[in-house]
């Protein structure tokens, strides 16, 4: 989807120069231009642009007065030969403030700022490393444990239970889905909707009924049942 822009400036040469710079963007369309406040209000309300490039000084008028009369939601990028209005421009949440003559690299930054504004970059999902340590709370204390100490994780209502290599168990207010996203998939596998195991602690995997498996882990006496769905995924992932 292209970015639709309006250029408002009382000098035709300035409009033409900015139009030429914007034409170098494949995803930017100049949908209207205007050289007066009256015409600017008309074309902005009619075309509903994504961005308005607005010269602050329009003959004897101040362009800030336009903002009160615009009936559509749009982003304003001020363009001016003077920098004394910069503070006020950002006070009214202008997207950017460009000084004339506008240079292509600076215009590119303004367009990029718009794109980030409407579609902010998503933060990368945190994923633990196998050697990482995490802090958990236990009564009135904080406990530091290593990810590589976790033998298995099982669902326990709204909580999850960590089975550690020293034989202890820790109850954590975190969902199975959260653990699945956080733990390194090079070492941890979900084998059931209620179970995640550490592959380093697998001692034996037995075939069971209906194409399922029983998984035995070191330091844990009972086996874990691998569901049919996860058995299929597990075998396909690790088959020779």
């Amino acid at each position: 989807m292209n970015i639709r822009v309006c250029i408002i400036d009382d000098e035709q040469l300035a409009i033409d120069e900015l139009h030429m710079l914007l034409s170098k963007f494949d995803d930017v369309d100049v949908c209207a231009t205007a050289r007066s406040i009256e015409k600017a209000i008309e074309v902005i309300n009619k075309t509903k642009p994504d961005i308005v490039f607005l010269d602050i000084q329009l003959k004897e008028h101040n362009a800030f007065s336009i903002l009160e009369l615009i009936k559509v939601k749009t982003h304003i990028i001020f363009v001016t030969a003077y920098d004394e209005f910069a503070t006020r421009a950002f006070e009214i949440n202008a997207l950017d403030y460009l000084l004339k003559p506008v240079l292509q690299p600076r215009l590119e930054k303004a367009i990029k700022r718009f794109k980030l504004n409407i579609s902010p970059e998503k933060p990368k999902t945190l994923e633990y490393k196998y050697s990482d340590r995490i802090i958990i709370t236990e009564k009135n204390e904080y406990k530091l444990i290593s990810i590589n100490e976790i033998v298995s994780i099982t669902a326990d209502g709204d909580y999850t239970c960590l089975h550690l290599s020293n034989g202890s168990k820790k109850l954590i207010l975190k969902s199975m889905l959260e653990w699945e996203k956080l733990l390194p998939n090079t070492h941890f596998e979900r084998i059931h909707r209620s179970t995640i195991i550490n592959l380093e602690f697998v001692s034996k995997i037995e075939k069971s009924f209906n194409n399922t498996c029983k998984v035995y882990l070191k330091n844990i006496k009972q086996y874990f049942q691998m569901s049919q769905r996860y058995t299929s995924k597990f075998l396909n992932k690790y088959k020779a």
Side-chain angles (χ1 to χ4, degrees), residues 178-191:
E178 287 177 290
W179 281 118
E180 190 175 18
K181 290 179 178 178
L182 288 169
L183 294 170
N185 59 17
T186 51
H187 290 83
F188 291 88
E189 281 289 342
R190 191 166 184 173
I191 63 169

Side-chain angles (χ1 to χ4, degrees), residues 20-31:
M20 180 192 67
L21 293 175
L22 289 168
S23 68
K24 297 179 181 179
F25 296 89
D26 294 334
D27 56 352
V28 175
D29 291 329
V30 177
C31 58

Side-chain angles (χ1 to χ4, degrees), residues 200-223:
E200 294 293 321
F201 290 91
V202 173
S203 61
K204 182 172 60 173
I205 300 176
E206 289 183 349
K207 289 183 179 181
S208 188
F209 60 93
N210 294 332
N211 297 316
T212 63
C213 290
K214 292 178 182 178
V215 181
Y216 294 84
L217 301 178
K218 301 169 187 176
N219 301 323
I220 298 180
K221 293 180 179 179
Q222 78 275 15
Y223 67 83

Side-chain angles (χ1 to χ4, degrees), residues 6-171:
C6 281
I7 303 173
I8 312 300
D9 198 302
D10 57 4
E11 296 181 4
Q12 187 61 47
L13 180 59
I15 291 176
D16 294 342
E17 288 177 349
L18 186 54
H19 199 312
M20 180 192 67
L21 293 175
L22 289 168
S23 68
K24 297 179 181 179
F25 296 89
D26 294 334
D27 56 352
V28 175
D29 291 329
V30 177
C31 58
T33 64
R35 295 178 58 186
S36 67
I37 285 183
E38 294 78 12
K39 186 64 176 178
I41 295 167
E42 177 187 340
V43 298
I44 292 170
N45 288 333
K46 181 179 179 180
T47 61
K48 300 178 176 63
D50 300 303
I51 304 173
V52 175
F53 286 90
L54 181 60
D55 185 11
I56 291 181
Q57 290 297 118
L58 296 173
K59 294 181 179 177
E60 61 275 356
H61 297 288
N62 187 302
F64 288 104
S65 59
I66 291 179
L67 304 180
E68 300 173 2
L69 300 172
I70 295 175
K71 298 178 181 178
V72 297
K73 186 176 181 180
T74 186
H75 291 82
I76 303 295
I77 296 179
F78 285 109
V79 184
T80 180
Y82 311 99
D83 60 4
E84 66 260 31
F85 296 106
T87 301
R88 187 178 175 191
F90 288 111
E91 283 176 353
I92 62 171
N93 293 321
L95 181 66
D96 211 334
Y97 189 96
L98 305 181
L99 287 175
K100 295 180 179 179
V102 178
L103 301 178
Q104 190 74 28
R106 184 64 184 86
L107 185 58
E108 288 174 1
K109 288 184 179 180
I111 296 297
K112 183 177 181 180
R113 180 174 292 181
F114 168 78
K115 292 177 180 179
L116 291 175
N117 189 277
I118 62 169
S119 182
E121 292 180 347
K122 294 182 179 180
K124 294 182 179 178
T125 303
L126 172 68
E127 183 179 297
Y128 296 138
K129 295 178 182 177
Y130 194 58
S131 58
D132 282 350
R133 293 180 174 85
I134 58 173
I135 291 177
I136 63 173
T137 55
E138 188 174 62
K139 295 181 179 179
N140 295 323
E141 296 182 8
Y142 292 107
K143 297 286 186 180
L144 192 65
I145 66 170
S146 296
I147 295 298
N148 56 28
E149 292 180 64
I150 301 173
V151 178
S152 67
I153 303 173
T154 54
D156 191 345
D158 293 332
Y159 291 78
T160 47
C161 183
L162 306 188
H163 301 256
L164 303 181
S165 57
N166 62 8
S168 66
K169 297 180 181 180
K170 307 294 181 185
L171 207 59

